[in-house]
Amino acid sequence: MMTEAIEEAAQRLRFLGTPLFRGLSDRPWPMVPWEEGMVRLGREMRLEGVSVWYEVLGDRRSAVVLFALEPRL
């Protein structure tokens, strides 16, 4: 199920930039490592059974979309 959720999230986020999966989260608004610091994933998208937390970094041409999954019960 998680593999399918990762693939679906990446597909839905692709229009914003290059999606990069950063792991699973056990809380809302997770912090993830990026380059030499930490980034808070402050935007949420819901898929069946998971919340996808993401943030867009960079400009339109070279944007990167960091995302993590938080399982929901």
Side-chain angles (χ1 to χ4, degrees):
M1 169 161 159
M2 279 300 157
T3 303
E4 293 169 0
I6 294 167
E7 291 172 3
E8 183 178 354
Q11 182 179 8
R12 290 187 180 201
L13 294 169
R14 189 162 280 118
F15 80 97
L16 295 170
T18 304
L20 292 174
F21 177 63
R22 303 304 290 176
L24 299 176
S25 174
D26 61 350
R27 65 191 61 157
W29 308 288
M31 298 285 287
V32 296
W34 178 249
E35 294 182 350
E36 294 186 23
M38 299 293 283
V39 174
R40 179 171 304 281
L41 305 182
R43 301 177 192 195
E44 180 185 19
M45 172 178 63
R46 290 186 174 225
L47 300 177
E48 188 174 333
V50 297
S51 288
V52 179
W53 293 96
Y54 69 97
E55 193 61 54
V56 181
L57 305 175
D59 62 16
R60 283 277 185 198
R61 284 177 257 189
S62 62
V64 173
V65 184
L66 304 179
F67 73 99
L69 300 182
E70 175 192 8
R72 288 187 288 126
L73 301 175

